[in-house]
Amino acid sequence: MKENRKNNYLIKYVVVLAILIAMTILACAIPKGIGSIDNDMLQDISNSGFTNTSFNVNYPTSGGLGQFDNGVTYVYTDPEKIDDFRAGTISRDITEVTVDTSKPHGTSQQNPYVISTLADWDNFVKRMATGTNYGSGEYFVLANDLDFDGEAFHPVVHFNGTFNGLGFALKNISCSVWQYWNSSTNSFVAMPSSVAGFGTFCHSLGALITDLIVENYEFLEIPLTNQVSSNIMRCSNVGGIVGYSTGNIQILNCHTLGIISSQTASNYGAHTSWGGLLGETFNSLIVYRCSAKTEMTSHKYGTSMLPIFGGLVGGVYDTANYNYIYDSVADLTANVSGGSTIKYIHVSSVVAITHAKQLKIENVVAETDITSSHRNASGGVAWQNTKISTSRFFNIYSGNFIGASGATKLPLYMMTSDLTCTTSNSQISNLHLVKPSSLSYQTIPVAYIYSFTSSSPAQPILHETFDDIYDKAKQDVDDSILPSKIWDKSKIGGYTPADTPVRNFLTANVTFKNLLSGGGEEGLGIDTAEYRAGDALPSPSGSYLKTNHTFRGWTTDKTGKSDPVTELPTGVFGDVTYYAVWGLTDSYVASQIKTSLSVKDNIKTIEYDSVSSI
């Protein structure tokens, strides 16, 4: 018995000794960089597809919205930086926020409510339907793509807060039964007729919405609602982002692709404003670095009621002080019937009707294809009325056509208005319009002014084809007329919501280092640069490659316990440092580390490492 116990002790001693020998070899062989001790972590990772590695969402309150870990960073397109960034006085138009979980959850930008699942979205919807502040003073972030394919989508009926999409998407929404959360009955019920807006967010009293993608949505069978008020003939307003707003609203770096269609509803008893981003606003508006590809179809209207369709914005009412649209793209396909009850239509590629006192449309590529037997009262880009005191139209590239199904479609004037653009009320420069020489303009159905006439400060330069205006816009990027820090010329004329010419990708500014023994750090000869999700990260080279070392990838985890990556994962933003992860070459392991160990007197052979690489 004593002899067996002695042998067991000896075997255990040899096992421990063998492990210590192996660890000593590793320590000597990898003096610099992070070395992983888990063999499974050091296999080929080129197609691992790691995502959202920087976001761990926890739930401090059961049934509530999520929270980021302390110290996590996120970024958003900052409205306070737009003017300076466009003027070239600052290098970035985003702001980085470091999460501090000691701050009040949700009411602090440093500790926002986090939405990362479909269940979270419904909890968000319910939260906004409870009480009367509708998110005012609160911060919400989307931390994952949400796919509603086959799932019921419920819109946010009222929203007055800040929503940062972080570049993530709401996908595959199909909504034809419009319901809201009734907190009294704790159930989803039919939308009341007093709600005059429909969209991802139906109504806002003032909101900031940034960095959100709404992709492959269908907003169908828009209900007939009451007029907004007795003296404002608007109802059933729809937007890819917001249906209608009665407060100042800013939509920044948002991108949509979808369908707005209503063919079975009763005749609309007021004008309907639909937009790729925003249906109607009764207050001031800023749109920046946005895109919308939208198909709109409607045909039932009461006598003298009009469809008001805009590629980006449907209508801006006369209570608005300003309407600014910067660095955006739009592609609108509109199908409007309705018989003799419709006098004419208002359809434009940017904003169909604007009454704002100040109008700026700068750096925009937009187009419209209208199928209708009705004539269009709006210009191809916009219609403005006499309430506008100043307007500015710079660097606009547009083509807009209208005609009945099967007929030759005619080009539209770029602008129509109750107001003639003159040197005293307008700044106009570098306007480009598709107008084939073989076709005449569509005749305007009412006595509006063709805003850009021989008496205006400048007239649009006419082009034969859409390719001509695309080429001109690309050339203007090369010539720094359109800023290359915003515009990707390779995507002008063809894009998806996730990859538009103006999308702000919320990049990470990455520094690459080696982590040394004792906690020190050293550079690797790789310049700090900006990367976006999916970009390949560089590898160390030259003198930074050590004998018998193999580079495995990068990690932000100084412990070396996290899986290394070779591409920037999603959810990594702002200033970040990546550390090199090193391993040993297979040939070195095979020559230096044996897979078995003989014990004196052949008591027992102990296998302590069944793998040949580390």
Side-chain angles (χ1 to χ4, degrees):
M1 178 70 69
K2 289 182 180 180
E3 186 65 25
N4 290 339
R5 186 176 301 165
K6 178 179 178 181
N7 288 342
N8 288 338
Y9 288 155
L10 181 58
I11 292 170
K12 291 178 180 178
Y13 168 77
V14 172
V15 170
V16 172
L17 178 61
I19 294 173
L20 290 174
I21 291 171
M23 291 176 65
T24 301
I25 293 172
L26 285 172
C28 294
I30 313 179
K32 296 182 179 181
I34 297 174
S36 176
I37 60 173
D38 183 347
N39 184 67
D40 291 337
M41 291 159 54
L42 294 174
Q43 305 304 309
D44 179 14
I45 60 172
S46 59
N47 296 308
S48 299
F50 299 116
T51 59
N52 300 328
T53 55
S54 71
F55 289 154
N56 178 53
V57 179
N58 54 76
Y59 295 85
T61 303
S62 178
L65 294 176
Q67 182 181 53
F68 285 143
D69 286 344
N70 196 57
V72 163
T73 61
Y74 70 92
V75 297
Y76 68 97
T77 301
D78 190 341
E80 300 299 322
K81 293 184 175 180
I82 292 174
D83 289 342
D84 288 339
F85 179 71
R86 295 183 77 241
T89 58
I90 58 175
S91 61
R92 305 173 85 185
D93 56 1
I94 60 176
T95 287
E96 180 178 343
V97 179
T98 301
V99 171
D100 181 351
T101 53
S102 70
K103 302 292 185 181
H105 189 204
T107 57
S108 169
Q109 191 175 38
Q110 293 173 271
N111 191 16
Y113 291 121
V114 179
I115 299 164
S116 64
T117 67
L118 296 177
D120 287 347
W121 179 264
D122 266 359
N123 286 336
F124 171 45
V125 169
K126 293 173 184 178
R127 183 181 183 85
M128 294 301 97
T130 304
T132 57
N133 76 324
Y134 308 125
S136 179
E138 295 182 329
Y139 298 86
F140 303 84
V141 299
L142 183 65
N144 205 352
D145 290 345
L146 301 185
D147 191 340
F148 288 88
D149 187 19
E151 302 287 340
F153 173 78
H154 299 112
V156 179
V157 177
H158 300 288
F159 183 69
N160 303 335
T162 296
F163 190 96
N164 300 130
L166 307 191
F168 291 107
L170 306 177
K171 297 181 177 181
N172 302 316
I173 295 170
S174 182
C175 188
S176 58
V177 178
W178 293 88
Q179 295 182 319
Y180 79 107
W181 178 255
N182 186 316
S183 58
S184 298
T185 62
N186 287 326
S187 62
F188 286 102
V189 298
M191 201 80 76
S193 59
S194 59
V195 176
F198 302 90
T200 306
F201 302 88
C202 292
H203 169 248
S204 174
L205 279 167
L208 170 63
I209 301 173
T210 77
D211 313 310
L212 175 64
I213 297 171
V214 182
E215 186 173 1
N216 295 330
Y217 71 86
E218 294 179 337
F219 293 159
L220 308 175
E221 308 314 331
I222 309 305
L224 172 63
T225 70
N226 299 337
Q227 286 185 200
V228 171
S229 68
S230 60
N231 63 334
I232 300 178
M233 304 225 9
R234 298 289 191 278
C235 75
S236 305
N237 306 293
V238 189
I241 302 293
V242 178
Y244 86 109
S245 174
T246 50
N248 293 347
I249 188 164
Q250 299 174 90
I251 302 176
L252 315 178
N253 191 35
C254 291
H255 309 277
T256 67
L257 170 66
I259 295 171
I260 302 173
S261 177
S262 190
Q263 301 185 61
T264 61
S266 301
N267 288 346
Y268 291 121
H271 308 322
T272 58
S273 292
W274 296 358
L277 299 174
L278 171 66
E280 178 87 21
T281 181
F282 299 92
N283 220 310
S284 296
L285 163 72
I286 295 177
V287 171
Y288 171 66
R289 295 189 78 164
C290 289
S291 69
K293 277 189 174 182
T294 320
E295 180 180 329
M296 301 181 187
T297 301
S298 187
H299 73 277
K300 289 194 174 183
Y301 289 88
T303 302
S304 300
M305 298 304 133
L306 310 176
I308 301 171
F309 295 171
L312 295 175
V313 180
V316 180
Y317 206 69
D318 58 12
T319 49
N321 287 319
Y322 56 83
N323 175 195
Y324 301 156
I325 298 175
Y326 301 136
D327 296 291
S328 294
V329 294
D331 185 344
L332 172 61
T333 301
N335 303 281
V336 183
S337 55
S340 60
T341 60
I342 298 179
K343 294 169 59 178
Y344 48 86
I345 63 178
H346 276 287
V347 181
S348 294
S349 60
V350 180
V351 52
I353 291 181
T354 178
H355 298 257
K357 295 175 180 66
Q358 298 179 57
L359 172 64
K360 295 181 182 179
I361 302 177
E362 299 180 15
N363 303 349
V364 169
V365 177
E367 58 192 81
T368 311
D369 182 357
I370 307 167
T371 300
S372 181
S373 59
H374 303 285
R375 287 185 293 166
N376 192 28
S378 289
V381 169
W383 177 89
Q384 58 179 347
N385 86 335
T386 54
K387 295 183 184 297
I388 290 180
S389 58
T390 59
S391 55
R392 178 181 171 96
F393 307 103
F394 275 26
N395 309 325
I396 299 174
Y397 314 80
S398 187
N400 313 279
F401 288 80
I402 185 170
S405 178
T408 299
K409 293 187 176 181
L410 300 178
L412 298 175
Y413 290 96
M414 180 170 277
M415 294 283 296
T416 57
S417 179
D418 285 334
L419 176 72
T420 301
C421 292
T422 66
T423 53
S424 63
N425 64 21
S426 303
Q427 295 176 296
I428 301 173
S429 177
N430 198 35
L431 309 180
H432 299 271
L433 180 68
V434 179
K435 197 278 180 185
S437 56
S438 60
L439 297 176
S440 300
Y441 287 110
Q442 178 223 231
T443 303
I444 302 298
V446 290
Y448 292 143
I449 297 166
Y450 316 147
S451 293
F452 303 141
T453 66
S454 58
S455 62
S456 65
Q459 299 180 69
I461 298 170
L462 303 182
H463 299 267
E464 291 292 320
T465 68
F466 281 96
D467 284 342
D468 290 340
I469 62 167
Y470 299 153
D471 290 342
K472 175 57 180 170
K474 294 173 183 178
Q475 184 61 52
D476 283 354
V477 175
D478 290 337
D479 295 339
S480 300
I481 296 171
L482 291 177
S484 59
K485 62 186 178 182
I486 294 177
W487 286 84
D488 182 342
K489 72 173 189 177
S490 68
K491 296 165 186 171
I492 293 174
Y495 56 89
T496 65
D499 207 22
T500 81
V502 294
R503 183 181 174 190
N504 190 350
F505 281 90
L506 308 180
T507 56
N509 195 45
V510 183
T511 299
F512 301 93
K513 290 187 175 181
N514 244 350
L515 187 64
L516 306 177
S517 301
E521 299 177 4
E522 69 172 5
L524 286 164
I526 302 173
D527 292 337
T528 297
E530 291 195 347
Y531 296 84
R532 68 192 195 197
D535 281 352
L537 300 176
S539 300
S541 60
S543 62
Y544 296 97
L545 295 177
K546 306 300 181 181
T547 303
N548 299 320
H549 287 56
T550 181
F551 174 69
R552 298 296 193 183
W554 301 99
T555 183
T556 57
D557 180 6
K558 289 186 177 182
T559 68
K561 295 180 180 179
S562 298
D563 294 311
V565 298
T566 56
E567 297 179 351
L568 187 73
T570 56
V572 179
F573 304 123
D575 294 321
V576 61
T577 299
Y578 269 103
Y579 299 97
V581 178
W582 300 98
L584 300 175
T585 63
D586 287 348
S587 59
Y588 184 78
V589 170
S591 64
Q592 299 296 321
I593 300 178
K594 305 301 182 183
T595 59
S596 61
L597 180 67
S598 297
V599 180
K600 184 179 179 181
D601 298 328
N602 292 320
I603 295 175
K604 188 170 183 179
T605 297
I606 301 171
E607 186 178 78
Y608 71 89
D609 182 6
S610 61
V611 297
S612 60
S613 64
I614 293 177

